[in-house]
Amino acid sequence: MKRLSIVQQLNSKTVIISSVLQIGDSREIISRSKVLAVQRQYELFLGSEGEGTFPIFTKPIQKLDINAEAIRINRLNESPIISVRSIYVIAASTSAVIHIGSTSTINGETRIKHIRQLAENYSPPSPALSAPQPTIRITKDE
Amino acid sequence: MNYTVINRDVQVGDIYLTAVTSSSILLIGDADIINLASAFDTPPESLFVGPFVPLTPK
C-alpha cells in the first residue's frame, strides 16, 4: 500500500515543455523533451534550421537496468501519511514532474543541444558613450 | 535481495523551490521505479565565431 499525501497549499507559476503537475495518484509517467537552443549575436533566423538530426537527439542513453522482481521490497508504513504544509515552486520545465500523490513508474528524458554563433569582427560600443557594463570575453583556440 | 523500509511519521513544513527542470522530479508520495536521464551537448565546437551560417548536424 502506498501512503496518503497531504499538501495544504501549492503555489506554482509555470509548468512548461513536457512537464507534469500531477495531483493525485498515477500509475506511469513518461515525459520526453528535445531542445535545440540556438543563440546568435544578432537576431537572425535562416529558415528550415534544426531539421537535421544531431547525434544527441538519437544516441541511446544508458539506463540502469534493474530487475525489479529480483528485489523484494517490504514497506512498513507506520504512518500512512506524508504531510507538507506548503510548496512554492516557480517553474517546472523540460520534462520535469511535480507529483503530489503516489505513483508506480516515472520515466523522464531530456536532450539539450546548445549552439552559439558570434560575429567575427564585432566591436563593442565605445565605453565613453555608454553606461558601464560588465564585459564578457569569449576566446576560441584555432 | 530483501529490502525493508520503515516509513515513520513524515511532516514537512514549507518547501520553497525556484525550479524543477530537465527531467527532475519533486515527489510527495511513494514510487516504485524512477528512471530519469538528461543529456546536454555544449562542446567547444558549439561556439561559432564567424559568418552566420545555417546549422549543420555533425
Side-chain angles (χ1 to χ4, degrees):
Chain A
M1 270 301 283
K2 281 170 174 152
R3 287 173 290 173
L4 184 73
S5 308
I6 298 172
V7 177
Q8 280 174 28
Q9 202 174 70
L10 171 70
N11 189 335
S12 182
K13 307 274 181 229
T14 318
V15 180
I16 50 163
I17 317 176
S18 203
S19 296
V20 179
L21 169 61
Q22 167 76 14
I23 300 168
D25 291 358
S26 69
R27 182 183 284 250
E28 190 174 15
I29 294 175
I30 300 167
S31 59
R32 296 270 181 280
S33 51
K34 292 175 180 178
V35 178
L36 178 61
V38 182
Q39 209 180 347
R40 287 204 173 97
Q41 197 167 347
Y42 302 116
E43 207 174 301
L44 180 69
F45 179 60
L46 298 161
S48 69
E49 285 189 281
E51 282 171 7
T53 24
F54 292 89
I56 191 161
F57 298 127
T58 51
K59 263 189 191 170
I61 295 175
Q62 291 286 320
K63 290 215 165 163
L64 199 63
D65 189 29
I66 292 174
N67 183 8
E69 272 129 55
I71 306 166
R72 279 180 73 93
I73 301 172
N74 305 303
R75 287 194 189 87
L76 267 160
N77 294 335
E78 274 188 14
S79 166
I81 289 166
I82 304 168
S83 159
V84 179
R85 195 193 302 134
S86 79
I87 301 172
Y88 179 80
V89 194
I90 295 173
S93 168
T94 11
S95 293
V97 178
I98 299 170
H99 200 291
I100 297 163
S102 295
T103 183
S104 179
T105 311
I106 297 178
N107 191 323
E109 204 178 277
T110 304
R111 293 153 184 269
I112 299 171
K113 171 85 181 165
H114 274 285
I115 294 170
R116 295 182 193 110
Q117 289 190 347
L118 304 179
E120 203 156 20
N121 39 23
Y122 172 71
S123 53
S126 163
L129 297 168
S130 59
Q133 285 175 339
T135 49
I136 299 163
R137 179 177 292 185
I138 301 164
T139 48
K140 190 192 174 201
D141 296 326
E142 290 303 324
Chain B
M1 192 180 96
N2 279 302
Y3 179 62
T4 307
V5 183
I6 302 165
N7 292 318
R8 300 213 165 88
D9 199 29
V10 184
Q11 281 194 39
V12 180
D14 305 320
I15 298 172
Y16 187 94
L17 274 167
T18 303
V20 189
T21 62
S22 308
S23 295
S24 303
I25 120 152
L26 167 66
L27 174 67
I28 316 290
D30 296 316
D32 295 319
I33 298 164
I34 298 176
N35 221 325
L36 301 169
S38 90
F40 285 86
D41 189 17
T42 315
E45 305 91 88
S46 68
L47 176 69
F48 296 97
V49 181
F52 293 150
V53 290
L55 308 170
T56 46
K58 60 179 173 196

